[in-house]
Amino acid sequence: MNLTNISTVKDILSRHGFNFSKGLGQNFLINPDVCPKIAEMGNAREGYGVLEIGTGIGVLTKELALRAEKVSAVEIDTRLMPVLEETLKDFDNIKIYNEDVMKADLHKIISEDFAGLRTAVCANLPYYITSPVIMLLLESNLPIDSITVMVQKEAAQRLCAKVGSRESGAITVGVNYYGTVKQLFGVSRGSFMPSPNVDSAVIRIDLDKERRLSGDEEKFFFRMVKAGFSQRRKTFANSLSSMLGIAKDDVYSALSDLGISQSVRVEALTMDELTAVARKLM
Ligand code: SAM
């Protein structure tokens, strides 16, 4: 079954009485070149189990299952379950979890389904939860090698920005703390059904960095970074005092000790500076 053929897809969806949900970010891929590329560039290969988030009708799931040993996919929309039973019926290495990825026990899924395998994550992410899903994957200490995801172009720019630049955000610090990130290729809005209002891009995060901080320090570091970026126009000291209740003088003295201006904004701080401030304020 060709899941990138528009009339095939329309036929399956109408037979199952399925209507797209905008709220769930349902824009399904119909460009035949994109899913094989995500699978190939996203570690879907021998020796790997791939965790997919958001299957839609299984267009990417299928390409992953053709290349990886196993695919476990989490899809929130119950209406898609009978559709997937039909579209993926020829595969015996796919397991679907009808759950919200933000609530699913990903540790359990990975340890039970991918025993003896390495793990990669691949997805065409629902755009309304791009950052929360990426932060969840990064912060949960899951044993994953890489996260290869399609995101909106603007989100890709933020993810791939330099820490310490105007374009950066809490998510930029997150990905650079845990690994290295790069943009793989762009995808035009016409590659989806229905077509969204923005273009997209596929990025890959390789989780290959040694941790700079211990567990508790790490928790504090991310609370500090999120507080800073939630009020990015304020000075870093003002954000930390209003969001985390840290005395402004304590922030000032930590910044001065490190030779950083007291009026600095979070977006101007490098990874080294952010980790050093976190250590001082903990
Ligand atoms: N992978 C398919 C494709 O490329 O055509 C579908 C991608 S579509 C952008 C996002 C998918 O994520 C939808 O199928 C949607 O129902 C699902 N989804 C949305 N929110 C979710 C959540 N919280 N947990 C799991 N899946 C979710």
Side-chain angles (χ1 to χ4, degrees):
M1 197 179 296
N2 181 353
L3 299 179
T4 54
N5 179 293
I6 298 181
S7 43
T8 309
V9 176
K10 281 188 174 158
D11 172 61
I12 301 169
L13 294 180
S14 84
R15 273 194 291 104
H16 288 273
F18 180 87
N19 297 310
F20 291 96
S21 157
K22 222 177 176 183
L24 288 178
Q26 291 178 339
N27 300 96
F28 296 167
L29 270 163
I30 44 154
N31 177 336
D33 299 331
V34 177
C35 292
K37 247 166 121 177
I38 296 178
E40 266 153 36
M41 298 172 102
N43 273 330
R45 56 189 160 98
E46 211 175 297
Y48 272 84
V50 177
L51 175 69
E52 189 195 1
I53 296 153
T55 58
I57 62 167
V59 64
L60 174 61
T61 323
K62 194 176 145 187
E63 296 300 329
L64 298 171
L66 286 170
R67 295 168 176 83
E69 309 233 358
K70 285 185 172 176
V71 177
S72 290
V74 183
E75 168 58 59
I76 197 170
D77 192 343
T78 308
R79 299 172 308 153
L80 287 168
M81 298 302 120
V83 178
L84 293 164
E85 259 172 49
E86 181 181 338
T87 57
L88 302 177
K89 67 175 180 325
D90 295 336
F91 292 85
D92 60 4
N93 61 342
I94 299 175
K95 211 161 157 183
I96 308 284
Y97 293 85
N98 185 197
E99 285 179 55
D100 177 347
V101 67
M102 301 305 292
K103 297 183 186 146
D105 188 344
L106 301 178
H107 281 279
K108 189 160 177 249
I109 294 177
I110 292 173
S111 66
E112 288 182 359
D113 295 357
F114 301 157
L117 298 173
R118 304 194 70 84
T119 300
V121 174
C122 290
N124 170 13
L125 283 181
Y127 292 156
Y128 75 103
I129 44 167
T130 300
S131 295
V133 170
I134 294 176
M135 282 313 283
L136 173 83
L137 294 170
L138 295 173
E139 288 181 308
S140 306
N141 274 319
L142 296 162
I144 47 187
D145 288 359
S146 60
I147 303 171
T148 306
V149 283
M150 168 110 65
V151 298
Q152 288 193 341
K153 204 168 143 194
E154 289 68 23
Q157 279 161 357
R158 176 143 289 179
L159 280 155
C160 298
K162 196 166 171 280
V163 175
S165 74
R166 255 224 195 129
E167 296 72 34
S168 69
I171 191 85
T172 322
V173 177
V175 292
N176 283 282
Y177 178 81
Y178 290 102
T180 42
V181 56
K182 68 171 174 210
Q183 181 163 325
L184 300 178
F185 57 94
V187 179
S188 71
R189 62 194 77 186
S191 300
F192 301 87
M193 184 170 90
S195 157
N197 297 326
V198 286
D199 293 321
S200 296
V202 176
I203 60 126
R204 190 176 74 209
I205 304 163
D206 287 304
L207 299 173
D208 53 6
K209 288 241 173 93
E210 289 277 326
R211 299 291 178 76
R212 296 157 166 251
L213 300 168
S214 68
D216 282 347
E217 284 174 336
E218 212 171 271
K219 275 199 192 103
F220 177 75
F221 172 77
F222 280 107
R223 277 182 60 220
M224 187 190 86
V225 167
K226 285 173 194 170
F229 278 103
S230 73
Q231 300 185 320
R232 61 188 299 146
R233 272 172 234 300
K234 286 194 178 179
T235 66
F236 192 46
N238 276 336
S239 312
L240 294 194
S241 81
S242 73
M243 299 290 292
L244 301 183
I246 301 173
K248 228 183 270 180
D249 282 343
D250 290 346
V251 185
Y252 286 154
S253 75
L255 292 173
S256 301
D257 286 355
L258 295 164
I260 302 168
S261 157
Q262 293 184 342
S263 60
V264 74
R265 289 185 184 169
V266 67
E267 63 195 23
L269 292 165
T270 63
M271 185 67 86
D272 284 342
E273 288 171 334
L274 285 166
T275 46
V277 176
R279 279 209 185 93
K280 281 211 174 278
L281 287 178
M282 255 203 76

